[in-house]
Amino acid sequence: MSAATQDRDSAKLKLAAGAIGIVFGDIGTSPLYAFRETFRGAHEMPIDQLHVLGVVSLIFWSMFLIVAIQYVTILMRADNNGQGGSLALVALLSRSIGKTSYGWLIVLLGVFATALFYGDSMITPAISVLSAVEGLTVVDRGLQPYVIPIALVLLVGLFVLQQRGTAKVGAMFAPVMIIYFSVIAVLGAGQIFNTPEILWALNPWYAVQFFLEEKVFAFLALGSVVLAVTGAEALYSDMGHFGRGPMKLSWFGFVMPCLLLNYFGQGAMILGLPPAAAEEAIMSPFFFLADEAYRLPLVILATCATFIASQAVISGAFSITHQAIQLGFVPRLSIRHTSDEHSGQIYIPVINWALMCAVIVLVLTFQNSSNLASAYGIAVTGAVTIDTLLMAVLFIGVWKWPKWIAIPVVLFFLIIDGAYFAANLYKVPSGGWFPLVVGAIAFAILTTWAKGRKLMRERMTEMSLPLDIFAKSARSSSARVPGTAIFMNSGSSGTPSALLHNIKHNKVLHERIVVLTVQISDVPYVDPSERCEIMELGDGFFRVILHYGFMEETDVPKALASREMCGGPFDMMQTSFFLSRQTLLTSDKPGMAIWREKLFAWMMRNAATPMEFFRLPTNRVVELGSQVEI
């Protein structure tokens, strides 16, 4: 084997190990509550061979079909320049079929999947940490009153930690999760060795027999079985951090075997116990896998694992919000970069504190992880079902599969995912309403901002003067002063209102006038050689368009300093940035409903300033206001 091949293999193994620490925490902590909830959740089931083998078989085949096949094998091939997730998939699809009659529907589906993710990112920390801390009651029932206070302290500490960045803590994630997965695999394997008949659950007939015998009851059980595959969407969303190859290696080579050993081990333990002992163990089968002397260390290890899983979901919320901002679905927010080496490590204060408040409310409202499980399935199954619909467009519109192949494949997964979603609908009154409400609010915000921006740009374009005409008329009507003036413009045509107001009120022009537009492409990253697009209009007027990908940081001074253009270098001490600040006036024009216009106006007032978002020097910025009706 050559040295280059060894280096590639070594790098792949390191990335695979890193993925275990970052990506698989959500699905990795599901054994704490998934198996338990199928028997002691909203609908209790008898503990006997039929039900145990049926449930374990459902868990195995759900994990194999949804996670291993649908996400890891198929959807991970649908990368947008290496990036995954619902918004990245929508951007990929939009480039191919965005101008068709149903392109708008694809965007709405992706936006709604994103909206559901916010509900998921609120529930995951609450249910994960709470289920781990509840293990203390297995060690000592007298610790029950301390479960919620301990969980709240851990969760608040987790969100406070975000503003410091997670680079140092993140270095410990992979070792802790590798230990965690190894431990739960060993615990499960020991029980399988004692009760090997649990391996019959590998045969899908036991899942079928479960449905034939129980029918409606088995269908409702799907609402809890699906908890075993929570986090499947995260595998796809985080693909850009580690790459498809390392993710597949870590999933098939380590994570999936460990999870299956644990689930089969829980089933084997319940089958091997007398009825009375099984009734006690089913209340917390994950912790009963360990001997009494080792249960407290297992609680501590599981708590660390859920802490890491929660961290990954919170970081995912930051990442998807950043994507949504760049793609025009969310107002500009204050974004802090917590690492000088990794651009993807960001912290968004408003998202962090909103999630923390929601998680605290969830814990105090639902009180235990079993109640929270009722709220969990809707968000997960809804996002998975939407991904399946987008997958259909991917097969036919992008990959050009023959319809006789694509349609049966999509229908197969749609039946499975749709069944899980339908099975969770009965949970709506008992908690499933929460992610739906969060999703509806997030969807309203995302679509209102996107629609409002579109309308506002249309109105401003109607009122704006072509820049070349303005440049000709302004040459002789104003005095020229030394220096450079950069006028930020949201559109790629027309004259910025700040430039019009500047010459109207100040009656001066700088020696060099640059009308600068920042455009976000539907690809994650733009080649630096294609960053700048420059048009010279004569007499010191220039139009510059900076192109960024939706995963990139929009640092305007850095981009301007990276090359000499527009007649010479940009000296920030001789450059002034002029920003247009619009005040929105609601009106009866046929654009949006009045309540949406007021929501859009509120978001505009509370959005981060362009100065902060584009990282402009604070002492070189001038803002000029105008009023716009939509």
Side-chain angles (χ1 to χ4, degrees), residues 218-241:
F219 174 74
L220 295 177
L222 289 177
S224 298
V225 170
V226 76
L227 297 175
V229 299
T230 56
E233 166 70 14
L235 309 189
Y236 182 41
S237 299
D238 289 334
M239 179 174 62
H241 295 294

Side-chain angles (χ1 to χ4, degrees), residues 125-126 129 150-160 307 310 356 359 363:
V129 172
I150 292 173
L152 288 175
V153 168
L154 290 172
L155 288 166
V156 170
L158 173 66
F159 285 100
V160 170
F307 197 86
S310 303
M356 187 188 77
V359 167
V363 171

Side-chain angles (χ1 to χ4, degrees), residues 73-203:
T73 303
I74 297 177
L75 274 177
M76 277 191 182
R77 292 181 58 227
D79 64 298
N80 189 351
N81 286 15
Q83 298 297 319
S86 296
L87 284 180
L89 180 57
V90 166
L92 172 66
L93 296 176
S94 296
R95 288 207 304 273
S96 300
I97 46 86
K99 295 181 180 180
T100 61
S101 58
Y102 54 88
W104 62 272
L105 180 59
I106 293 168
V107 174
L108 284 184
L109 285 173
V111 169
F112 193 64
T114 302
L116 287 175
F117 177 83
Y118 285 107
D120 186 15
S121 60
M122 294 173 185
I123 299 171
T124 295
I127 190 173
S128 298
V129 172
L130 198 53
S131 61
V133 177
E134 283 171 350
L136 290 172
T137 62
V138 177
V139 178
D140 185 350
R141 293 189 181 278
L143 296 175
Q144 178 64 47
Y146 302 100
V147 168
I148 290 179
I150 292 173
L152 288 175
V153 168
L154 290 172
L155 288 166
V156 170
L158 173 66
F159 285 100
V160 170
L161 177 70
Q162 302 304 311
Q163 59 190 319
R164 297 181 176 273
T166 57
K168 294 181 179 179
V169 181
M172 300 173 57
F173 285 2
V176 171
M177 292 306 296
I178 289 172
I179 293 171
Y180 167 78
F181 280 117
S182 300
V183 168
I184 67 172
V186 170
L187 290 174
Q191 296 293 337
I192 295 170
F193 181 79
N194 294 331
T195 315
E197 54 264 32
I198 192 64
L199 294 176
W200 286 111
L202 292 168
N203 186 341

Side-chain angles (χ1 to χ4, degrees), residues 127 130 134 148 362-363 365-373:
I127 190 173
L130 198 53
E134 283 171 350
I148 290 179
L362 280 170
V363 171
T365 302
F366 288 88
Q367 294 289 307
N368 60 61
S369 60
S370 187
N371 291 337
L372 272 168

